[in-house]
């Protein structure tokens, strides 16, 4: 692709972002206008100065900027010691001469609920910048192909959209009553590389880009326990490019059910009424299939989903993939979605509220933080607690969450006041209130006040579906 007229070697960030957005808008428009179009020459965009500069800015602003890969360098180290422009210039030269070779990712195991651990792959900053540049080029192309039922790791889409879709179609007038809760075993670790590259080739035929994507998949994994080992399958969880690649792989599931739906629309009405109706909502590897029919129909669709996922090397967990009725409820993305009868009426509605697992997770964090060193000031404890409480309440704000917020308020108050009692065992309740409570019983230390979950007003999140615009719609 011709990237435009000659430009300064390293443009200002504002002009670089504008240039990248305009080129992305072109790529997205071309991919949307022609679903069969294949892109033969986009490698020059990967090493374009504007794309590399925007990629660096995204890596630098990411929470993982302080994490080092196998070379031991962080983004802040590179910025302070080497300088950004020499660093990017070296990457650009290696890409242009096709001498760039990704280094292995550093393996880190992250604890999960239930005692299990999740594998995280930390790439070097150099590799993260190239991955970010690759994503800037590939994302607008593949976004033209992704279906509206997919919400995870996509621009302007949120977990709330996936939950709102389930709630909307489980309630009136749609009333999809059966639910298939799909759970994919180790999704990021088991994606088949050959199948994934085949899906990428449906749009990208530039051999240099394909070689670069494959090189990242095959870069290897390094850990202190096992040393260096090959990566024969999967995409490292934690990589900048991995979420996009996983969406490309999982899109086979979206497309399968979409093909069936479109085919059935061409059948006579009498035949359509005899077949089950279904609706898929997927957030990354967490997905739910709503079905209007019988349980046997859901079982057949489960087997179809397993067969489709097997084509990209993925497996459904037999233990965690379950069939439930909407009256029994389901847990999805931290929410409990269940149909209840509204008190005082004969009507039933589908309600969404925080799941028990989500409540247990946040109370566990509060409990852990309130066990910290009692020699620190209360202000430090409040500074640690408030972001956790505020973020959790913000996520669960669009739902029937008032009762849960009240429970969390009481739980947090008891933990903080218990911490103060242990800190000052000789003080009476009256003395503690005078010193640490603002306007009665609520803990505070100077200007820092404990976040009150009940101050979070609940709202209703509206289902947006296919109406969600892409970031490039207004950049043409």
């Amino acid at each position: 692709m011709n990237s435009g007229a000659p430009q300064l070697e390293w443009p200002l960030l504002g002009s670089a972002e504008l240039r990248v957005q305009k080129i992305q808008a072109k790529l997205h428009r071309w991919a949307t206008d022609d679903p069969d179009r294949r892109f033969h020459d986009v490698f020059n965009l990967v090493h374009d100065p504007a794309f590399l500069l925007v990629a660096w800015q995204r890596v630098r602003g990411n929470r993982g900027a302080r994490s080092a890969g196998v070379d031991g360098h962080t983004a802040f180290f590179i910025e302070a010691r080497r300088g950004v422009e020499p660093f990017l210039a070296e990457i650009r030269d290696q890409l242009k001469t096709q001498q760039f070779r990704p280094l292995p990712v550093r393996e880190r195991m992250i604890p999960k609920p239930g005692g299990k651990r999740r594998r995280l792959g930390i790439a070097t900053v150099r590799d993260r910048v190239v991955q970010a540049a690759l994503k800037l080029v590939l994302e607008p192309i593949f976004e033209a192909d992704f279906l509206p039922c997919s919400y995870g790791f996509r621009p302007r889409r949120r977990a709330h959209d996936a939950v709102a879709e389930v709630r909307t179609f489980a309630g009136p007038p749609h009333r999809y009553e059966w639910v298939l809760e799909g759970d994919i075993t180790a999704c990021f670790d088991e994606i088949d590389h050959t199948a994934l590259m085949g899906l990428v080739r449906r749009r990208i035929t530039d051999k240099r880009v394909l070689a670069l994507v494959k090189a990242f998949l095959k870069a290897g994994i390094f850990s202190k326990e096992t040393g260096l080992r090959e990566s024969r399958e999967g995409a490292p969880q934690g990589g900048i490019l991995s979420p996009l690649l996983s969406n490309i792989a999982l899109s086979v599931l979206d497309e399968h059910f979409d093909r069936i739906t479109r085919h059935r629309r061409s059948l006579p009405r009498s035949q359509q009424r005899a077949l089950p109706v279904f609706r898929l909502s997927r957030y990354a590897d967490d997905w739910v299939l709503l079905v209007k029919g019988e349980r046997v129909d859901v079982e057949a669709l489960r087997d179809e989903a397993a067969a489709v996922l097997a084509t990209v090397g993925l497996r459904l967990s037999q233990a965690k993939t379950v069939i439930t009725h909407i009256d029994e409820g389901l847990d999805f993305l931290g929410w409990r979605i269940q149909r209840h009868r509204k008190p005082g009426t004969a009507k039933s509605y589908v309600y969404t509220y925080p799941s028990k697992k989500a409540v247990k997770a946040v109370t566990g964090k509060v409990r852990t933080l309130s066990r910290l060193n009692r020699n620190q000031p209360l202000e430090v404890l409040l500074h640690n607690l408030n972001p956790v409480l505020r973020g959790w309440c913000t996520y669960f704000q669009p739902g029937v969450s008032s009762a849960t917020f009240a429970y969390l308020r009481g739980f947090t108050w008891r933990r903080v006041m218990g911490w103060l009692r242990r800190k000052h065992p000789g003080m009476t309740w009256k003395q503690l209130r005078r010193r640490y409570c603002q306007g009665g019983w609520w803990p505070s230390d100077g200007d820092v006040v404990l976040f009150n979950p009940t101050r979070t007003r609940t709202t209703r999140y509206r289902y947006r579906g296919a109406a969600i615009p892409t970031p490039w719609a207004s950049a043409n």
Side-chain angles (χ1 to χ4, degrees), residues 24-257:
Q24 285 184 315
K26 287 183 180 179
L27 294 172
H28 184 69
R29 186 177 67 248
W30 293 340
T32 304
D33 292 344
D34 185 1
D36 297 321
R37 177 167 184 157
R38 306 176 84 184
F39 292 80
H40 308 286
D41 185 19
V42 289
F43 183 72
N44 60 324
L45 294 177
V46 179
H47 58 73
D48 183 279
F51 278 75
L52 288 175
L53 186 61
V54 173
W56 161 261
Q57 192 64 23
R58 296 193 177 181
V59 171
R60 172 64 175 77
N62 191 280
R63 287 187 303 176
R66 296 183 181 274
S67 300
V70 292
D71 61 357
H73 295 170
T74 66
F76 302 102
F77 173 86
I78 291 169
E79 199 171 41
R81 298 292 182 89
R82 296 186 59 183
V84 176
E85 291 191 6
F87 172 70
L88 295 180
E90 181 182 346
I91 292 176
R92 188 185 182 209
D93 289 342
Q94 291 178 355
L95 287 171
K96 289 178 69 176
T97 57
Q98 298 185 49
Q99 295 179 346
F100 180 87
R101 298 293 182 272
L103 293 175
V105 297
R106 180 170 66 87
E107 184 180 64
R108 183 180 176 187
M109 304 304 290
I110 306 296
K112 291 177 61 177
K116 296 182 179 180
R117 296 195 299 170
R118 179 182 65 188
R119 181 181 293 110
L120 193 68
I122 303 175
T124 63
V125 177
R126 161 181 165 272
D127 291 350
R128 276 180 258 171
V129 170
V130 178
Q131 286 190 35
L134 260 176
K135 185 181 178 183
L136 289 172
V137 175
L138 298 179
E139 187 175 49
I141 296 172
F142 285 97
E143 273 293 321
D145 297 334
F146 292 155
L147 297 173
C149 63
S150 167
Y151 297 99
F153 304 120
R154 295 184 59 189
R156 296 185 179 176
R157 290 170 171 259
R158 314 169 59 193
H160 295 93
D161 292 308
V163 174
E165 182 167 34
V166 175
R167 186 196 69 239
T168 300
F169 284 89
H174 307 286
R175 300 188 185 279
Y176 290 65
E177 296 191 334
W178 287 100
V179 182
L180 172 62
E181 301 177 58
D183 186 276
I184 300 173
T185 303
C187 175
F188 280 86
D189 298 334
E190 296 190 359
I191 296 175
D192 182 81
H193 288 175
T194 303
L196 175 59
M197 292 305 300
L199 294 171
V200 175
R201 287 190 187 93
R202 295 195 305 187
R203 278 297 198 176
I204 306 296
T205 55
D206 191 323
K207 292 184 178 180
R208 297 164 297 178
V209 172
L210 294 172
L212 192 56
V213 173
K214 188 175 181 179
F216 279 117
L217 292 174
K218 301 290 187 182
I221 303 169
F222 177 82
S223 69
K224 293 182 179 179
E225 292 77 16
T226 62
L228 180 64
R229 62 182 189 274
E230 295 181 359
S231 48
R232 298 178 180 177
E233 58 186 9
Q237 191 166 354
I240 292 177
L241 196 60
S242 297
L244 175 61
L245 295 178
S246 67
N247 265 336
I248 292 173
L250 290 168
S251 65
V252 298
L253 187 67
D254 311 340
E255 293 168 0
H256 172 75
F257 289 118

Side-chain angles (χ1 to χ4, degrees), residues 385-442:
L385 283 173
N386 284 351
V388 173
L389 296 171
R390 186 178 292 109
W392 194 87
C393 291
T394 300
Y395 179 76
F396 288 105
Q397 184 177 10
V400 187
S401 308
S402 298
T404 308
F405 291 164
Y407 169 78
L408 182 58
R409 177 188 188 276
F411 178 88
T412 305
W413 182 88
R414 289 191 297 272
R415 295 299 304 182
V416 173
M417 295 305 294
W419 183 87
L420 287 172
R421 290 281 286 177
R422 294 190 298 273
K423 181 178 176 68
H424 301 288
M427 277 192 180
T428 65
W429 279 109
K430 188 174 183 179
Q431 290 170 327
L432 283 176
R433 286 178 58 196
R434 284 180 176 177
R435 181 169 177 179
Y436 289 113
C437 293
Q438 175 180 312
W441 285 91
W442 198 245

Side-chain angles (χ1 to χ4, degrees), residues 172 175 327 339-351:
R175 300 188 185 279
D327 289 339
R339 187 166 64 187
H340 295 284
R341 178 176 295 177
K342 186 175 182 180
T345 69
K347 295 182 179 180
S348 296
Y349 297 93
V350 176
Y351 293 92

Side-chain angles (χ1 to χ4, degrees), residues 22 43 91 123 187 195 239 261 297 316 330 398:
K22 287 183 177 179
F43 183 72
I91 292 176
C187 175
T261 301
D297 299 321
L316 281 181
L330 69 146

